[in-house]
Amino acid sequence: MKSPGKAVIAGIAAIAMAGAFAGCSAGADASGKVELRVGTFPPGADAAAYEAFEAQEKQFEEDHPDIDVIGLEYEWEGPTFAVQLAGGSLPDVFTVPFTDSKTLLENGQLMDVTDEIDELGYTDSFNPVILDGVTDADGRIYGFPRQAYAMGLHYNRDLFEQAGLDPDDPPQTWDEVRAAAKQIAEKTGKAGYAQMAINNTGGWQLTAATAARGGSIQTDDGDGGYEATLDNDGTKAALQFLHDVRWEDNAFGAKFDLDWGTINQEFAAGNLGMYTSGSDVYTALVRDFGMKPEQYGLTVIPLDGDEAGTLGGGDIAVISPSVDDATKAAAVEWIDWYYMQKLLDEDAAKLDAKTLADSDQAVGTPLLPVLSRELYEESLVWIEEYINVPRDQMTPFIDRIWEQTPVGEPKGKTQEVYALLDPVVQAVLTDRNADIDALLAQADADAQALLDQ
Amino acid sequence: MSTVTETAAEAGVDAVSAASTPAPRPRRTPRTWLRGGGLSNLVFALPMLVVFSLFSWSPIVQSVVMSLQKTNLVTDPQFVGLDNFANVLADPLLGKAVLNTLAFAGLALLMGFPLPLFMAVLMSEVKRMKGLYSALAYLPVVVPPVVAVLLWKVFYDASPTGVFNTVLGWVGIPPQPWLQSPASAMPSLVLEATWAAAGGSIIIYLAALLAVPPELYDAAEVDGASIWKKVWHVTLPQLRGILFIMLILQIIATAQVFLEPFLFTGGGPNNATVTVLLLIYRYAFQNSLGGNYGEATALSVMLAIVLALLSWAYFKLTDRWSTT
């Protein structure tokens, strides 16, 4: 019936509940422990991932005897999220992508954690660009940014070799990408370069390709209003590039309906030479799609022009808005322990890396720091002995990513605008005579109508 | 003699009129209802009533209410009147979705309506192994729809090594972009849907064919009719009623097509296969995290009204076209 008596929790809870009534015991089980349901990994992860999680759960519960952690399979999906939230079947702690955090906090679908983050003292350590994505207009914070990535160009080293290209010297400009794609298609019969096109990923990757050419698909007027700029030169150039790879060079392959999962599948199966996706995708490629590590290569996205930058993304650990105070306090403890400490503390970082490596999980996949670059690079030194991903095959990315300007995803109605761009990408890929200017003008008008709602 | 018959006739008339105007029933009060076993009737029907109202009627009522609201299921819903309906009707995708749905229904009629009939007539002519043929024809219906679609997705692989493209390659036809081009995506969907649903129709037609009196065929044969003449002059007229029922049922079913476009193409390429139901799904789930549940339910209500009208027409017509 009572909130657990740990000083820390009581302290946090006291701040959180200033003036509110004491938390009820909905989240407590018979033994007086607080039950905390946390999202783990997507359904269908392998047994090793479960082992790793169980080991970590045990470690946490030893440190926090008053919390009972229950791991739930969880995968962020926009379609099911609102329904799960309304139906009360969301975990207490889960992660959401940056793309959606603004929309969610504006909808009141996330828990305010400003006081807790201040209490833990890492408000100032966060990369401000990233923290901005979880902050509302009043400066309240709604989540813990836990992991970020930059868009990278992934390539298959085997196909490079078969096509007579040097896998240690990947393309550095879009023209070189196009030439390499053509060579791969001619020499191996596989797709040289492909890009996602459905379920909003078409818009997502087109936005990344736009940023790489110095454009952007919307401008932010600073007080909650947005202007759609879908018909900018960067987007036109990105679509023209797709058109040329597909129709002029015949190097795109035969699949114009790929999304995040299916393009990974194609790539892991060795049917695809190059594609763009988040730099952290290696883990999924090897763990979920059965890719052979030695085939994998990663480099930075070619940037074209002075304004060009690399689209980034990532995810945020958040708490369900419907939990009681005791559960919220436990949730903060868990997020701090499971997601944040390994970024800040040597012992925590080592323990986490060792646990993952012992269960054959990927350790050392290239990321972007959510805190500072110094802390991130230091943490890589801490865990050096446990790194098990072929970082030498990712050197082109690791060496050059710091020279690139990171660009955040558009914030206004992100997914809806992405959804509007999907058909544009599909039209260019499936109709040789698609009128890029007309398609973008129409999409731009539709996007502006959405943003004005 | 005559008087006797007259009185008898009158008596008969009286008897008839007496029978047709029943004695006035006692007024129903709660008490008489209770005495007459009304309570046990109610208790008997209660489980069904509860289940239906919980799982069938209340969601229907709720969705009608929701179609007049703006809600994201978390914050309090706002009443917005007919705004959702106006937004849906103003959406340029709606016209495309309706046309696509009609195209699917039309193609499904062209491909899927004559085929099972043709197969059924052929199979009814077969004398041996009838059971085997029926089982074979019905097999695709037993395959779970999602599995069937995923299987056909492999068949439709657009690369030269895809199953269908390999077969086409044997006869020198270049690889086709089945699901990957706006022109061929919809027919590809219909082909799979026809394959999946034909078995059920075949079984129904076979049953109907058994009901055709054999004397009619015998008479036709005596007149020297060929097999095609028999089908045209005997079989089809006898199946008229069932054909019409199947037609209406198929139209109602294809108006609600969702699974194929959802799983095969997600509505692509370039919205070439977006159907009304897929549009409803997109309103509710795909585009925004809060979900446009109001617009989704508004379009659902409109679709339901159209289908209800179709069903009403179906009942009216089947009354007149009764097969007996």
Side-chain angles (χ1 to χ4, degrees):
Chain A
M1 209 43 226
K2 277 243 190 40
S3 317
K6 268 200 86 177
V8 183
I9 296 187
I12 292 170
I15 295 165
M17 305 183 315
F21 55 91
C24 67
S25 60
D29 63 7
S31 60
K33 286 186 175 184
V34 177
E35 276 190 9
L36 184 67
R37 300 174 314 137
V38 303
T40 54
F41 19 71
D46 59 0
Y50 285 87
E51 276 169 35
F53 183 80
E54 258 173 47
Q56 287 172 313
E57 187 185 337
K58 212 175 262 144
Q59 291 160 4
F60 176 80
E61 287 178 355
E62 276 168 18
D63 290 352
H64 304 81
D66 49 2
I67 300 175
D68 178 15
V69 171
I70 301 160
L72 302 177
E73 287 185 343
Y74 176 79
E75 185 170 20
W76 162 262
E77 279 178 346
T80 50
F81 170 79
V83 182
Q84 283 182 310
L85 180 55
S89 57
L90 268 186
D92 301 329
V93 176
F94 52 97
T95 56
V96 300
F98 290 176
T99 331
D100 300 304
S101 51
K102 270 283 200 249
T103 314
L104 291 176
L105 65 90
E106 279 163 10
N107 288 349
Q109 292 169 319
L110 298 178
M111 177 71 93
D112 182 337
V113 291
T114 319
D115 300 336
E116 287 74 8
I117 288 193
D118 284 345
E119 176 80 10
L120 289 164
Y122 25 79
T123 316
D124 300 335
S125 345
F126 279 117
N127 179 336
V129 176
I130 288 177
L131 194 61
D132 179 56
V134 283
T135 309
D136 73 359
D138 306 331
R140 305 297 293 175
I141 302 170
Y142 287 84
F144 297 70
R146 68 157 195 118
Q147 185 170 305
Y149 64 82
M151 213 58 78
L153 180 71
H154 308 259
Y155 61 96
N156 183 315
R157 297 175 66 91
D158 281 7
L159 288 178
F160 263 55
E161 277 175 14
Q162 287 170 32
L165 296 158
D166 179 2
D168 294 316
D169 183 23
Q172 298 194 29
T173 65
W174 286 110
D175 287 342
E176 287 175 16
V177 171
R178 189 180 159 186
K182 191 174 178 184
Q183 204 166 324
I184 291 169
E186 282 170 1
K187 292 267 169 53
T188 66
K190 308 281 191 194
Y193 175 92
Q195 200 167 301
M196 302 172 207
I198 64 164
N199 298 340
N200 305 4
T201 60
W204 175 48
Q205 286 302 314
L206 184 62
T207 303
T210 300
R213 290 168 175 86
S216 81
I217 62 165
Q218 62 181 223
T219 52
D220 184 345
D221 67 6
D223 54 6
Y226 301 95
E227 194 195 337
T229 53
L230 270 60
D231 49 358
N232 67 82
D233 293 343
T235 305
K236 286 177 184 171
L239 288 168
Q240 190 60 48
F241 172 82
L242 287 182
H243 176 274
D244 295 346
V245 172
R246 161 76 179 93
W247 299 104
E248 308 292 327
D249 304 343
N250 207 0
F252 195 95
K255 293 205 160 113
F256 317 113
D257 56 352
L258 297 168
D259 63 5
W260 187 88
T262 45
I263 205 165
N264 287 344
Q265 218 170 336
E266 285 292 298
F267 185 70
N271 297 331
L272 171 58
M274 294 175 282
Y275 74 116
T276 54
S277 188
S279 61
D280 58 347
V281 87
Y282 173 85
T283 309
L285 284 172
V286 173
R287 184 184 70 191
D288 307 334
F289 298 97
M291 175 149 195
K292 296 191 188 77
E294 60 273 16
Q295 292 185 341
Y296 181 81
L298 172 65
T299 182
V300 286
I301 280 202
L303 297 187
D304 199 354
D306 298 341
E307 300 288 302
T310 308
L311 194 76
D315 59 27
I316 297 150
V318 295
I319 303 175
S320 166
S322 53
V323 301
D324 61 45
D325 289 316
T327 312
K328 180 181 172 182
V332 171
E333 288 285 316
W334 168 257
I335 292 174
D336 180 46
W337 186 90
Y338 185 68
Y339 294 119
M340 305 309 299
Q341 283 305 321
K342 65 182 173 198
L343 307 174
L344 295 154
D345 175 83
E346 181 167 357
D347 293 341
K350 277 191 166 144
L351 179 63
D352 176 76
K354 182 178 186 310
T355 311
L356 290 174
D358 286 350
S359 318
D360 285 333
Q361 300 295 291
V363 176
T365 305
L367 298 168
L368 281 188
V370 287
L371 303 166
S372 66
R373 182 181 169 183
E374 291 74 27
L375 261 173
Y376 171 67
E377 295 197 324
E378 195 178 357
S379 75
L380 283 176
V381 176
W382 296 334
I383 61 169
E384 196 158 8
E385 58 184 301
Y386 303 111
I387 288 180
N388 55 12
V389 305
R391 281 179 75 89
D392 53 331
Q393 290 161 220
M394 309 174 183
T395 314
F397 180 89
I398 293 165
D399 287 352
R400 289 208 292 265
I401 185 63
W402 306 108
E403 303 156 12
Q404 299 199 323
T405 315
V407 177
E409 286 183 88
K411 291 202 184 102
K413 305 253 180 181
T414 318
Q415 294 290 1
E416 279 138 301
V417 175
Y418 285 172
L420 284 175
L421 285 169
D422 273 357
V424 177
V425 174
Q426 291 164 16
V428 169
L429 292 175
T430 56
D431 175 7
R432 179 187 272 275
N433 303 316
D435 181 345
I436 291 175
D437 290 359
L439 286 165
L440 284 178
Q442 181 60 52
D444 191 59
D446 294 348
Q448 194 58 56
L450 276 174
L451 293 168
D452 291 339
Q453 270 175 23
Chain B
M1 187 68 201
S2 64
T3 51
V4 174
T5 46
E6 272 172 27
T7 46
E10 278 170 23
V13 169
D14 282 354
V16 168
S17 61
S20 60
T21 47
R25 292 179 59 174
R27 275 194 53 233
R28 290 186 57 170
T29 61
R31 194 170 185 170
T32 54
W33 176 79
L34 205 61
R35 286 236 182 104
L39 194 60
S40 52
N41 293 349
L42 182 67
V43 170
F44 183 72
L46 202 59
M48 193 272 299
L49 286 174
V50 168
V51 168
F52 262 91
S53 42
L54 262 182
F55 296 107
S56 266
W57 301 322
S58 86
I60 292 174
V61 172
Q62 270 183 328
S63 63
V64 173
V65 170
M66 208 188 262
S67 69
L68 304 171
Q69 293 175 331
K70 185 175 172 61
T71 176
N72 64 6
L73 301 180
V74 180
T75 48
D76 289 336
Q78 302 162 289
F79 181 79
V80 294
L82 294 176
D83 282 6
N84 291 325
F85 290 87
N87 290 346
V88 170
L89 290 172
D91 186 343
L93 260 185
L94 179 66
K96 187 150 199 171
V98 170
L99 285 177
N100 284 341
T101 307
L102 290 174
F104 185 95
L107 280 169
L109 280 182
L110 278 180
M111 287 195 210
F113 193 63
L115 182 84
L117 180 67
F118 181 71
M119 298 282 291
V121 171
L122 275 188
M123 281 161 62
S124 68
E125 294 293 324
V126 172
K127 293 289 177 279
R128 282 186 302 176
M129 313 269 276
K130 217 172 221 175
L132 175 73
Y133 286 114
S134 308
L136 281 178
Y138 198 66
L139 210 52
V141 184
V142 188
V143 179
V146 175
V147 176
V149 169
L150 295 177
L151 192 68
W152 276 66
K153 229 179 157 160
V154 176
F155 294 168
Y156 279 141
D157 186 344
S159 58
T161 52
V163 176
F164 286 168
N165 283 341
T166 307
V167 175
L168 291 182
W170 295 337
V171 288
I173 301 173
Q176 298 301 309
W178 304 100
L179 300 167
Q180 312 283 357
S181 111
S184 61
M186 193 59 104
S188 302
L189 262 57
V190 176
L191 189 63
E192 186 276 340
T194 302
W195 169 87
S201 311
I202 290 176
I203 299 292
I204 291 172
Y205 288 137
L206 273 176
L209 285 169
L210 290 178
V212 178
E215 303 84 60
L216 294 175
Y217 288 120
D218 297 342
E221 243 166 75
V222 170
D223 293 342
S226 68
I227 182 162
W228 298 115
K229 281 223 162 99
K230 276 196 288 181
V231 168
W232 184 252
H233 291 288
V234 178
T235 315
L236 288 179
Q238 287 291 319
L239 291 186
R240 203 178 53 179
I242 198 91
L243 281 172
F244 184 75
I245 291 171
M246 295 294 287
L247 180 73
I248 299 278
L249 284 177
Q250 185 173 351
I251 291 172
I252 291 175
T254 49
Q256 303 180 64
V257 61
F258 170 78
L259 182 90
E260 286 84 7
F262 178 70
L263 285 174
F264 268 126
T265 57
N270 194 9
N271 292 328
T273 54
V274 173
T275 60
V276 174
L277 227 64
L278 190 61
L279 194 61
I280 292 171
Y281 175 87
R282 282 191 183 181
Y283 280 138
F285 299 121
Q286 191 170 335
N287 286 350
S288 62
L289 302 166
N292 283 336
Y293 299 110
E295 284 171 16
T297 44
L299 183 50
S300 309
V301 167
M302 287 192 257
L303 178 67
I305 290 170
V306 170
L307 290 179
L309 287 173
L310 262 182
S311 309
W312 175 80
Y314 156 72
F315 281 121
K316 278 279 158 218
L317 287 163
T318 44
D319 273 355
R320 247 194 294 160
W321 281 64
S322 77
T323 51
T324 48

